[in-house]
Amino acid sequence: MYWRLLFNLFLIFILGIVQVAFVSALPFWLKNINLLIIFLVFILSLRGFMFGFWWTAGMAFILEIFSFLPFGVYFFSLISAFFLANFLLTNYFTNRSLYSYLALTLASLFTYQVLLYSLNYGLHYFLQEDFILNLDKSFLADKLEMFLVNILVVVLFFYIYNFISKNFQPVFLVRGQIKK
Amino acid sequence: MLKSNKKKVLVFVAVIGLLIFLSSIGILNPFIGFSDRIFSPTMKNFYNLGSGLRNSFDNQAGKKNIFTENEELKVRVANLTEQNVELELVRQENKLLREHLNFLGKNNYRYVMSSIVSRGDITDVSDKSEVITINKGLRDGLVPGLAVVSSQGIIIGKIADVKDSISLVYLTNNSKCKLAASILGQEGTEGVTEGDRGLTIKMGFIPQSKEIKKDDIVMTSGLEYLVPRGLAIGRVIEVEKNNNELWQNAVIEPVIDNDSLVIVSVLLPSN
């Protein structure tokens, strides 16, 4: 029990560090990869709500440690994105389809980004500091690029996981083999 | 969602609320500082790995264009020969500047060397790496406004925010990084530089009476208490002068590639 907890904490720590230090230093569009959101969606669908919730909280905490935004901004944004993913998964999507993962990741990513920018803008407004956000072509192109990159990573993860595990493979019921 | 889950989530949300409250009154700061110190060596290694990958990507991208560039360079050689004389003068000026700076050794600057542990931020709205995080903070005597320089003594930015063991640095191409600047070889402050969409640096508030030309070296003027005079900012690549305007502007190209930085130094006040 405790070993499993420690192991999960270690994985959360590694994933958080990889996102904050490694991914941010990558070249070109690779730095737009959001491993946290992608992992959260996968963990939510594979391991369930509570397990995913603890992971979300752990990763949000790592982000908070290295963030210069007021404490709580990442908690709120990441957990809200996670709740949205859970709501969509429970009510509208299956957990075995690539398209479901793509939709869930995009929805979570969009929510996460909108909340982060909104909270940041709100805090700067409240503190009467400058926060210049040019919603111009360049900004929108950057965000579009970010969504596309993350879609690619989800596709990659999905096929890798599908290759090493049978969780995503379809199950068919054959008529005549079901015993009453 | 199950009922038990709801209960757990409510407890957890309450815990987060408590954490936010404790953080806002500063009780969590020592713990966060401790966590920063624990994580920072690992982060440094991960950052170096990512940075190494980025540099090798850049080199590869450069190789692909080498043949096209070669043709263009042949044409440019003739033009450059003419400019060579002027550049030689600039080189001498630059050498003089380096001698003036004589960095991190003979000068009386007190400094703190630090490693970059992260790059970019949500406030990095242009997505062009205008912000870095370094692994030194309040404990090392850093305060907002201090100059951050490369190993050659070129200013790369200013400390914007500090926590116990890490600091946020706005790079010179960040629109929030404003520096009092002057032209090498001229007295006093000539203008103020600030980043322009994460790409170049813009120098504004330059009086119309001042003579500025392409390839002039722009340096810090020393007007700011925490930023010493004589730190190179960049080279003028364009002068925007309109007689109807009160001021003239200059576009400055940074003399250092911020993407290649891994270790930086923060200059501390002499007293």
Side-chain angles (χ1 to χ4, degrees):
Chain A
M1 168 78 181
Y2 290 110
W3 283 112
R4 188 175 282 186
L5 179 70
L6 281 176
F7 182 66
N8 275 293
L9 282 175
F10 176 73
L11 289 182
I12 290 169
F13 159 72
I14 292 293
L15 189 62
I17 298 288
V18 166
Q19 178 67 46
V20 176
F22 180 70
V23 174
S24 74
L26 287 177
F28 311 126
W29 41 266
L30 288 170
K31 66 181 173 188
N32 286 321
I33 295 171
N34 195 324
L35 285 178
L36 305 188
I37 293 286
I38 293 169
F39 267 77
L40 287 184
V41 170
F42 272 84
I43 287 166
L44 171 69
S45 67
L46 294 171
R47 298 297 302 270
F49 177 79
M50 274 320 288
F51 193 82
F53 188 76
W54 284 109
W55 266 71
T56 312
M59 287 194 271
F61 187 73
I62 299 278
L63 291 180
E64 294 286 1
I65 286 174
F66 292 100
S67 162
F68 283 85
L69 296 173
F71 197 89
V73 169
Y74 280 104
F75 265 119
F76 184 77
S77 308
L78 210 56
I79 287 176
S80 302
F82 176 75
F83 275 123
L84 179 84
N86 182 57
F87 174 77
L88 293 175
L89 183 65
T90 313
N91 294 293
Y92 301 106
F93 294 105
T94 167
N95 62 353
R96 297 198 177 222
S97 153
L98 171 64
Y99 300 109
S100 294
Y101 280 96
L102 292 177
L104 289 172
T105 307
L106 287 179
S108 309
L109 205 56
F110 181 76
T111 313
Y112 175 68
Q113 289 278 320
V114 167
L115 285 173
L116 264 186
Y117 278 109
S118 307
L119 284 172
N120 205 7
Y121 184 79
L123 285 166
H124 278 77
Y125 182 79
F126 182 68
L127 298 169
Q128 296 184 331
E129 290 174 357
D130 287 340
F131 182 68
I132 306 154
L133 181 59
N134 295 320
L135 291 171
D136 55 6
K137 271 185 185 172
S138 163
F139 177 81
L140 295 175
D142 283 338
K143 292 301 155 196
L144 183 67
E145 186 184 82
M146 183 196 71
F147 284 114
L148 290 174
V149 171
N150 283 289
I151 282 175
L152 281 176
V153 178
V154 170
V155 172
L156 193 71
F157 277 15
F158 185 87
Y159 282 111
I160 289 173
Y161 190 78
N162 203 17
F163 184 72
I164 56 174
S165 162
K166 289 179 181 174
N167 274 14
F168 291 151
Q169 285 168 13
V171 177
F172 296 102
L173 297 175
V174 180
R175 185 179 289 179
Q177 287 188 355
I178 304 168
K179 290 179 182 174
K180 290 182 180 177
Chain B
M1 202 190 307
L2 294 171
K3 227 174 186 179
S4 61
N5 278 355
K6 267 188 182 172
K7 211 172 181 181
K8 282 180 189 171
V9 170
L10 277 177
V11 170
F12 199 82
V13 170
V15 170
I16 292 171
L18 186 68
L19 280 175
I20 293 170
F21 172 72
L22 291 176
S23 170
S24 66
I25 57 173
I27 288 180
L28 275 186
N29 288 355
F31 175 71
I32 290 175
F34 177 73
S35 307
D36 286 336
R37 283 197 298 284
I38 294 285
F39 292 156
S40 116
T42 319
M43 288 190 72
K44 193 175 79 180
N45 291 333
F46 272 107
Y47 180 83
N48 289 349
L49 192 65
S51 186
L53 273 174
R54 190 178 60 239
N55 289 336
S56 45
F57 263 92
D58 289 346
N59 291 340
Q60 284 299 322
K63 276 180 193 168
K64 281 184 184 172
N65 297 328
I66 205 157
F67 294 110
T68 326
E69 278 180 16
N70 194 29
E71 292 302 315
E72 287 172 7
L73 284 171
K74 280 178 185 171
V75 181
R76 287 181 64 190
V77 162
N79 300 332
L80 286 173
T81 313
E82 195 181 310
Q83 291 175 19
N84 200 27
V85 179
E86 196 177 344
L87 287 172
E88 181 60 26
L89 286 172
V90 175
R91 195 186 68 80
Q92 283 172 6
E93 281 177 342
N94 203 5
K95 194 182 167 196
L96 198 68
L97 176 68
R98 296 272 170 87
E99 283 169 6
H100 270 286
L101 297 172
N102 213 354
F103 244 78
L104 306 178
K106 295 170 192 170
N107 266 327
N108 290 327
Y109 293 135
R110 288 169 59 229
Y111 62 93
V112 172
M113 287 186 88
S114 66
S115 299
I116 300 174
V117 291
S118 181
R119 182 173 283 273
D121 191 73
I122 189 68
T123 55
D124 218 353
V125 285
S126 80
D127 204 28
K128 299 282 186 302
S129 297
E130 304 166 6
V131 174
I132 54 170
T133 306
I134 57 172
N135 66 348
K136 293 283 161 61
L138 274 174
R139 286 170 67 93
D140 308 283
L142 305 194
V143 288
L146 288 173
V148 183
V149 297
S150 70
S151 55
Q152 298 96 352
I154 293 158
I155 187 164
I156 60 145
K158 263 163 76 167
I159 303 271
D161 202 351
V162 285
K163 285 167 92 172
D164 194 52
S165 300
I166 55 171
S167 300
L168 185 74
V169 178
Y170 285 160
L171 299 177
T172 46
N173 61 352
N174 188 320
S175 59
K176 288 182 179 175
C177 182
K178 292 179 172 60
L179 291 163
S182 61
I183 306 294
L184 182 70
Q186 296 185 23
E187 288 296 316
T189 299
E190 311 291 350
V192 176
T193 66
E194 61 179 54
D196 190 19
R197 292 175 180 242
L199 297 169
T200 53
I201 304 165
K202 206 160 195 172
M203 184 171 171
F205 301 108
I206 311 165
Q208 289 282 6
S209 58
K210 294 288 176 185
E211 195 64 41
I212 299 175
K213 57 185 189 303
K214 199 182 165 195
D215 286 332
D216 273 351
I217 302 287
V218 179
M219 62 178 195
T220 53
S221 70
L223 188 71
E224 295 165 271
Y225 171 63
L226 296 173
V227 182
R229 183 179 169 82
L231 303 173
I233 299 170
R235 186 190 301 273
V236 175
I237 54 170
E238 191 186 335
V239 180
E240 296 165 357
K241 189 169 184 173
N242 189 339
N243 289 335
N244 298 329
E245 303 268 333
L246 194 59
W247 314 101
Q248 55 178 324
N249 297 318
V251 180
I252 300 160
E253 185 183 50
V255 283
I256 190 163
D257 176 21
N258 288 334
D259 281 354
S260 62
L261 295 168
V262 175
I263 293 172
V264 295
S265 300
V266 184
L267 301 184
L268 301 173
S270 50
N271 53 352

